Structures are given as C-alpha cells and as structure tokens.
Amino acid sequence: MERKHYKQEINMTEALMNRINELISHYPEGKQKSALLPVLHEVQDAHNNWLSIELQDKVAEILQIKPIEVYEVVTFYTMFNQKPIGKYMFEFCQTSCCCLNGAENLMDYTSEKLGIKMGETTPDGMFTIAGVECLGACGYAPMMQLGDFYKEKLTEDKIDQLIADCKEDKIILHDK
C-alpha cells in the first residue's frame, strides 16, 4: 500500500516556542526528551491537530533527539494524527466492553451516515471517524471521544444528534 505524503505549513510562533521551552524546563538538563509528549500535544494543537513528518522532524530538532524517537511516539499513540483530520473527529472506543455493547455497529452506522470509511475525512473537512484503544469509560459503553469530551451510552439517535449539532456548530471541542 502506497503511503500518501501530506504537506503542512510549519509555524513555530514565538508563543509556541516559549511554551515548548517552559515544558522542557520542567526536566533536568540533558533530559529534554522527557518533554516529548507534552511538546507534541502543544505542537499538534498549534498546527490544525496533526503532525506531518516535517513537523515531527522539527520537534526532534528542538528536543535534540533523533527523528525516529519522535516517529515511534507519534505512530504508537492514537492521540497524535499523522494526516489532516476533520474539524470533528469521532474517536470510537473499539475495545471489548464497547464492542460488546454495540460500538462496531455504531461505527458502521456513522460511516454510512457520513459517507466515509473508518480513518477517512468527509470531503468538506468536517468529520473524521477513527477507532481507538480503550478510553477508560467502560461503564458508559459504547462511547467515543469528541475533542476533549466523552460521549457516552451511544445510540444511533445520539449519533444523529451529534452530527446535527456539529453541523450547526453547537459542539464545544476543547475545555481550554
């Protein structure tokens, strides 16, 4: 399978660099790699919620580590996006408890409703659907994460309402 290379403008603003340097300062001299996860979050947030290879290379340069050390982390965690995503990313928990309670059917339903497959983004850039590992809310299965928030005890009706609310810009994605 051919891997598509996505281009991204790198914009390391003064404010972003100040935040990165503050995060690095929390760790002992020579241990700046320890700041990798929080730095990746900050950089991703500042770059439309995704990290191109070039941007990952920039993080490696800033932290004075090898690019592969950044790639290993970005490819391991589902919270880091390696390609552009939609404004609204439906991240369905796809582990045992959620699947036993219908998550897979809801993922299929959402894909059909939006006309895209898992991992794809709608042509208008509005929605992306992804399956992720356990989100730690088994008592509320099936569930998904939308931005910083959990959407729990999902049903087809709740999915329909979430899609409608997103289209009407009624969904708050972040608590910052």
Side-chain angles (χ1 to χ4, degrees), residues 14 32 36-37 61 65 68 80 91 97 103 120 128 130 143:
E14 183 178 341
Q32 65 275 6
L36 182 55
L37 286 173
E61 177 187 318
I65 59 178
I68 189 66
F80 299 119
E91 297 178 279
C97 194
E120 292 182 343
T128 299
M143 57 85 62

Side-chain angles (χ1 to χ4, degrees), residues 93-104 132-135 138 141-142:
C93 177
Q94 59 181 10
T95 47
S96 301
C97 194
C98 283
C99 287
L100 287 171
N101 284 286
E104 292 170 315
V132 298
E133 292 307 313
C134 186
L135 292 169
C138 301

Side-chain angles (χ1 to χ4, degrees), residues 104-169:
E104 292 170 315
N105 292 337
L106 290 173
M107 291 162 69
D108 291 342
Y109 176 81
T110 306
S111 292
E112 185 177 312
K113 188 93 175 161
L114 295 175
I116 57 174
K117 295 177 184 167
M118 293 297 295
E120 292 182 343
T121 300
T122 55
D124 62 3
M126 190 89 157
F127 297 97
T128 299
I129 306 170
V132 298
E133 292 307 313
C134 186
L135 292 169
C138 301
Y140 305 101
M143 57 85 62
M144 72 171 173
Q145 185 168 343
L146 180 56
D148 292 340
F149 302 99
Y150 283 177
K151 304 299 179 183
E152 303 161 337
K153 297 197 181 283
L154 293 172
T155 62
E156 289 180 1
D157 288 340
K158 286 183 179 182
I159 296 292
D160 291 342
Q161 188 61 57
L162 282 170
I163 292 170
D165 288 347
C166 289
K167 287 181 177 180
E168 294 175 18
D169 207 23

